[in-house]
Amino acid sequence: MTDPLIPLRAIFINCTLTPSPGVSHTQRLMDNAIAIMQANDVAVETVRAVDWNIAPGVQPDMTEHGWSQDDWPEIQAKVMEADILVLGTPIWLGDKSSVCTRVIERLYSYSGTLNDKGQYAYYGRVAGCIVTGNEDGIKHCAMNMLYSLQHLGYAIPPQSDAGWIGEAGPGPSYGDDGTGLKNDFTRRNTTFMAWNLMHLARLLKAAGGLPAHGNQRSAWDAGSRFDHPNPEYR
């Protein structure tokens, strides 16, 4: 088990296209991972992104760039309070939802901010993803989402994605009349994802984050090159 003395916070951002209080099949699967984390003393908050007015763009606050309203700064504050981020999305046309794309773009808007060590702000945090749908695409969506999150600075533990897809074409989605709830592959991957996120988050938190040598943007800008060979003397 992970060390229960190290407190953790997690935020699950559900990128369904269905506003509250509509049923979200993605939320149903996310709730399994949430239950595992809550059973292990992780404080969890869920955000359904479509319920918020998230302006498009890649700046931290888009009201400073022509938009009359932007709720993203409030969500960003929740993200920065969390040690674990899990993005959940349905599959549409073989890809993540448009809402998920916008959330990742807005996460990107903050990625240039530095922490007190001079590293990018998401360093020391971990991330994973949940995908649901009625068509192929779990691994395609996961590749895109997890690549994006690690590029922003998140650490990605082993097997940090989970999902469920039903029979191709129209039909019941996850949780409809019990559909998918007993699928061993999905149950196993969701469980492993939840535990690996908690394990890595606690390891990083106990270590004080990622070591701050060789990755400090502030030091690089000040002239440090961290053993990178001088191109003039190769």
Side-chain angles (χ1 to χ4, degrees), residues 145-200:
M145 295 162 72
L146 296 179
Y147 166 78
S148 299
L149 291 168
Q150 67 80 29
H151 184 76
L152 301 185
Y154 277 95
I156 308 299
Q159 298 169 331
S160 55
D161 63 302
W164 184 89
I165 49 174
E167 184 176 345
S173 296
Y174 184 81
D176 288 343
D177 297 324
T179 300
L181 299 182
K182 295 182 180 180
N183 184 282
D184 187 68
F185 183 83
T186 297
R187 294 174 67 202
R188 183 196 70 194
N189 285 6
T190 303
T191 301
F192 285 13
M193 180 203 72
W195 275 103
N196 287 345
L197 287 168
M198 290 189 290
H199 286 317
L200 185 56

Side-chain angles (χ1 to χ4, degrees), residues 57-80:
V58 289
Q59 299 298 327
D61 186 346
M62 292 306 298
T63 63
E64 299 174 359
H65 299 272
W67 290 89
S68 61
Q69 184 177 351
D70 184 12
D71 293 341
W72 180 257
E74 185 175 347
I75 299 174
Q76 183 70 57
K78 298 175 184 291
V79 168
M80 299 313 295

Side-chain angles (χ1 to χ4, degrees), residues 7 18 45 80 115:
T18 305
E45 182 170 5
M80 299 313 295
N115 64 20

Side-chain angles (χ1 to χ4, degrees), residues 13-202:
I13 301 182
N14 182 358
C15 298
T16 177
L17 301 183
T18 305
S20 300
V23 172
S24 165
H25 301 97
T26 301
Q27 188 64 49
R28 285 174 171 169
L29 184 51
M30 292 173 73
D31 285 343
N32 293 320
I34 290 170
I36 293 169
M37 290 191 187
Q38 289 178 330
N40 288 275
D41 299 320
V42 177
V44 178
E45 182 170 5
T46 300
V47 169
R48 188 178 294 204
V50 75
D51 291 341
W52 299 66
N53 192 330
I54 301 173
V58 289
Q59 299 298 327
D61 186 346
M62 292 306 298
T63 63
E64 299 174 359
H65 299 272
W67 290 89
S68 61
Q69 184 177 351
D70 184 12
D71 293 341
W72 180 257
E74 185 175 347
I75 299 174
Q76 183 70 57
K78 298 175 184 291
V79 168
M80 299 313 295
E81 291 174 354
D83 307 290
I84 299 169
L85 168 66
V86 179
L87 295 183
T89 184
I91 301 171
W92 293 110
L93 298 175
D95 211 338
K96 65 187 185 299
S97 73
S98 58
V99 174
C100 189
T101 296
R102 182 166 296 189
V103 166
I104 290 173
E105 288 172 346
R106 298 308 305 275
L107 288 167
Y108 177 82
S109 73
Y110 200 77
S111 63
T113 305
L114 304 183
N115 64 20
D116 57 7
K117 298 178 182 178
Q119 302 167 308
Y120 291 117
Y122 295 125
Y123 274 39
R125 295 172 169 81
V126 304
C129 66
I130 292 281
V131 184
T132 64
N134 290 100
E135 55 191 272
D136 195 12
I138 291 176
K139 290 182 173 63
H140 169 76
C141 293
M143 284 191 299
N144 181 289
M145 295 162 72
L146 296 179
Y147 166 78
S148 299
L149 291 168
Q150 67 80 29
H151 184 76
L152 301 185
Y154 277 95
I156 308 299
Q159 298 169 331
S160 55
D161 63 302
W164 184 89
I165 49 174
E167 184 176 345
S173 296
Y174 184 81
D176 288 343
D177 297 324
T179 300
L181 299 182
K182 295 182 180 180
N183 184 282
D184 187 68
F185 183 83
T186 297
R187 294 174 67 202
R188 183 196 70 194
N189 285 6
T190 303
T191 301
F192 285 13
M193 180 203 72
W195 275 103
N196 287 345
L197 287 168
M198 290 189 290
H199 286 317
L200 185 56
R202 285 199 166 111

